Amino acid sequence: MSRLIIFLIIFLVLDFYTLQSFRVIIKNNIITYVYIFFSLVVLGNFFYQILTFDRSNGIPFKFSLALSLLVLFYVPKIVVAVTLLGEDIFRFIVYINENYIKTANTEGVALQNRRKFISQIALGLAAIPFASILYGVIKGKYNYKVLKYTLHFEDLPETFDGYKLTQISDIHSGSFDNINKVEYAVDLINEQQSDVILFTGDMVNNKAEELIPYKEIFGKLKAKDGLYSVLGNHDYGDYVRWESKEDKHKNLETLKSFQKEMGFDLLLNESRYLEKAGERIALVGVENWGAGGFKTAGDLKKAASAIDKNDFKILMSHDPTHWERKVIEDDYHYHLTLSGHTHGMQFGIEIPGWFKWSPVKWRYKYWAGIYEELGQYINVNRGFGYLAFPGRVGIWPEITVIELKKGSNNA
């Protein structure tokens, strides 16, 4: 409850500054009252949804709507508040200088009035995140991007030179609201004509039934060497209240059967070999292993027990924290790890090949794209779907295509 009070105070401060900007520019009491009323409705509805949140139903639409409205209207207010706070600091410095530093001035001066053009600049700047978030909610969540990488390995088996894999992650089928867009994305995946398709967890938000409207669509995924998957933290149903442990277990078993029906070979701390012309690479899949309260069912040793240490290895592990804390230093040397989980926070700024930033970087060291450590690679997929906030701003839904090449990158 104390956290909610702190957040409420922060939101009210944002409203205080934005209201000042409105009143300086718009000399109309009716518009001002409408603004106050609408702000209170958005804020009040959000806190009401939090206080009445029912975990037994996962994340309901009304909560997602309340969150999207809060983000849409209060992120721009941060821009306004920061701009006007900067002006306040300037006004205060001028006031101190005129009244306490300039000794020639004995009469003193009043604090300067807020300048209209600063308020205009503040609202103009705020329009940028407002438009971006609005686009992210309406269009951005289905703005699928195919990201292609070529990775070189000296010890890649010869016959796998040029081998292509497609990775998707974090489908979160319970969040979708446009089945046609999902069909388009599945067609886009198939257009890549990769040798294998690998899904790295979070097929649903919480319940297997979320997948029912999309089973036939994802069942159309095709790859010559098959489809493989692992579980993510949301797939276990840990974030809802079940009537019994049996119901929770049944939900997970149903999800497993659905994945099998769609053609996925679900790896539960297991391995498979992908074979080609007498050579092979090992595909290893662990259950979710996460830190900071996330499920740690992954068992790397068990998953790799049936493969050889000298095999070329691809590891599927939902949470990139696993790679950071367990995989990199493992003596089996996992050439390529595929993860997801972070979604890139569904919010950030990215110029492909040049710059990427998201607040999620403060939580995860490896949060989007390709990273290399100790001669091993990880790709952190930005996610296929979305969760809680029904949109994506700057960090778009991702389909990853990775081509494996034998030899040095300098060759």
Side-chain angles (χ1 to χ4, degrees), residues 24 76 80 83 122 145 151 160 179 208 230 273 281 298 306 321 338-339 352 355 362 371 385 406-407:
V24 169
V80 174
T83 304
K145 300 296 182 184
L151 300 179
F160 284 88
I179 198 167
V230 293
Y273 278 112
I281 60 177
T321 308
L338 303 175
S339 298
F355 176 80
W362 297 323
Y371 302 88
K406 184 173 179 61

Side-chain angles (χ1 to χ4, degrees), residues 149-154 372 377 405-411:
Y149 304 98
T150 300
L151 300 179
H152 294 78
F153 301 92
E154 295 282 2
E372 181 183 5
Y377 291 95
K405 296 292 292 182
K406 184 173 179 61
S408 169
N409 191 31
N410 299 320

Side-chain angles (χ1 to χ4, degrees), residues 199-261:
F199 173 68
T200 48
D202 279 0
M203 185 71 74
V204 296
N205 293 342
N206 296 291
K207 297 181 178 180
E209 64 189 37
E210 300 167 14
L211 189 55
I212 294 175
Y214 305 98
K215 277 172 55 183
E216 184 177 347
I217 297 173
F218 287 111
K220 295 178 181 178
L221 289 171
K222 302 296 179 185
K224 178 173 61 69
D225 291 340
L227 286 64
Y228 297 88
S229 63
V230 293
L231 296 175
N233 55 298
H234 280 268
D235 294 323
Y236 296 90
D238 287 343
Y239 306 123
V240 296
R241 291 194 181 98
W242 300 95
E243 292 186 5
S244 66
K245 292 182 179 179
E246 290 74 19
D247 286 341
K248 182 179 179 181
H249 176 74
K250 182 180 178 181
N251 177 73
L252 181 56
E253 293 305 310
T254 301
L255 179 61
K256 292 177 182 178
S257 67
F258 283 173
Q259 292 208 28
K260 184 176 181 180
E261 290 175 26

Side-chain angles (χ1 to χ4, degrees), residues 8 14 16 60 66 116 133 209 259 313 335 337 352 380 396 399:
L8 179 60
L14 296 179
F16 170 75
K116 182 178 181 180
I133 294 167
E209 64 189 37
Q259 292 208 28
K313 294 174 285 295
H335 298 75
T337 296
V380 184
W396 312 119
I399 298 164

Side-chain angles (χ1 to χ4, degrees), residues 23 40 94 138 199 224 242 317:
R23 295 181 68 178
L40 290 175
V94 170
I138 297 173
F199 173 68
K224 178 173 61 69
W242 300 95
S317 181

Side-chain angles (χ1 to χ4, degrees), residues 130-240:
F130 181 86
S132 299
I133 294 167
L134 188 62
Y135 173 83
V137 171
I138 297 173
K139 296 286 188 180
K141 59 189 176 186
Y142 296 118
N143 186 22
Y144 295 101
K145 300 296 182 184
V146 178
L147 302 185
K148 298 184 177 182
Y149 304 98
T150 300
L151 300 179
H152 294 78
F153 301 92
E154 295 282 2
D155 54 349
L156 180 71
E158 191 75 38
T159 55
F160 284 88
D161 185 26
Y163 194 79
K164 285 196 341 183
L165 61 89
T166 289
Q167 179 199 2
I168 54 176
S169 190
D170 299 88
I171 288 175
H172 289 287
S173 53
S175 297
F176 294 137
D177 57 13
N178 190 323
I179 198 167
N180 293 327
K181 294 295 186 181
V182 178
E183 289 179 330
Y184 160 76
V186 167
D187 290 340
L188 191 59
I189 293 170
N190 284 333
E191 285 176 13
Q192 307 312 309
Q193 297 184 328
S194 290
D195 297 287
V196 66
I197 294 175
L198 306 176
F199 173 68
T200 48
D202 279 0
M203 185 71 74
V204 296
N205 293 342
N206 296 291
K207 297 181 178 180
E209 64 189 37
E210 300 167 14
L211 189 55
I212 294 175
Y214 305 98
K215 277 172 55 183
E216 184 177 347
I217 297 173
F218 287 111
K220 295 178 181 178
L221 289 171
K222 302 296 179 185
K224 178 173 61 69
D225 291 340
L227 286 64
Y228 297 88
S229 63
V230 293
L231 296 175
N233 55 298
H234 280 268
D235 294 323
Y236 296 90
D238 287 343
Y239 306 123
V240 296

